[in-house]
Amino acid sequence: MTIPEKKAILNKCRKLNDSINEELEKLARLKSLAVKVTPTLSLMPKSTNGDDRIQSSCEKIELQEQKIDRKIDLLVDLKIHLLYDIAMTVDDEVCMHLLKYRYIDFLSWEDTAYRLKINESTIRGKKHFQALKYLTISEKTQYIAKRLDREHKM
């Protein structure tokens, strides 16, 4: 597997995390709108549109929550397998932590360099390349990444 292919799989974690955050914002908007749907109480005969709107809102919220749950499950699976791959194939301690901080914990280059107590330019250049070279991504992790592509167009 080439270094760009490894980076693409590692970057799927961040993309999926960002996607989950977008879905959570959408869920918050749906809940906000659902609160605004109020039935009107009257003795006059009327259609049941109000009840349908409330039920429809609840169904949309439930579907959105299920979608988020599936994405979170996939993100957890991907992170677990990437962490395992990193731990099993990257011997250099600095390189191992670099990959974990950058691609699992989503730290910036600056924060990663600070935690590792190494110059940022060294982390971004030589150490990052070295870490990606050491890394071997398992078939199981590759399968999860492909499933992510199929199911969520990542």
Side-chain angles (χ1 to χ4, degrees):
M1 178 172 268
T2 67
I3 288 177
E5 290 171 331
K6 292 176 188 180
K7 278 178 72 173
I9 289 175
L10 289 165
N11 282 322
K12 287 181 190 305
C13 274
R14 184 181 301 266
K15 288 179 184 175
L16 184 55
N17 191 65
D18 292 346
S19 174
I20 290 167
N21 288 334
E22 289 172 14
E23 298 294 345
L24 287 168
E25 288 173 11
K26 185 176 178 182
L27 177 63
R29 286 192 303 272
L30 283 171
K31 286 182 176 182
S32 175
L33 289 173
V35 172
K36 294 177 184 177
V37 176
T38 55
T40 306
L41 301 176
S42 170
L43 296 175
M44 298 297 294
K46 62 178 177 52
S47 69
T48 59
N49 286 345
D51 292 337
D52 290 344
R53 286 190 320 216
I54 293 171
Q55 182 178 351
S56 174
S57 294
C58 290
E59 288 169 357
K60 286 178 184 176
I61 289 169
E62 179 66 27
L63 288 172
Q64 187 66 19
E65 288 173 341
Q66 289 172 3
K67 185 176 183 180
I68 292 167
D69 287 344
R70 284 192 302 274
K71 284 187 175 188
I72 290 172
D73 290 345
L74 199 52
L75 178 61
V76 169
D77 281 351
L78 185 58
K79 280 187 168 190
I80 287 170
H81 285 88
L82 282 171
L83 280 170
Y84 180 80
D85 292 347
I86 291 167
M88 297 307 290
T89 63
V90 180
D91 294 332
D92 183 277
E93 185 110 1
V94 171
C95 290
M96 184 172 59
H97 286 293
L98 185 157
L99 292 173
K100 180 189 172 294
Y101 293 153
R102 185 73 184 143
Y103 296 105
I104 305 299
D105 299 338
F106 314 126
L107 294 184
S108 67
W109 287 111
E110 182 181 349
D111 291 339
T112 300
Y114 177 78
R115 285 205 180 174
L116 294 173
K117 296 174 180 54
I118 296 176
N119 183 304
E120 185 179 341
S121 62
T122 303
I123 291 291
R124 287 185 101 142
K126 187 171 77 172
K127 280 296 182 185
H128 185 236
F129 178 77
Q130 189 179 22
L132 290 170
K133 206 165 87 174
Y134 286 142
L135 179 64
T136 301
I137 295 181
S138 68
E139 288 188 24
K140 177 67 176 173
T141 306
Q142 291 177 44
Y143 171 78
I144 294 169
K146 287 177 185 171
R147 195 173 105 209
L148 179 58
D149 287 337
R150 274 194 319 271
E151 293 177 14
H152 302 286
K153 313 284 188 280
M154 294 266 148

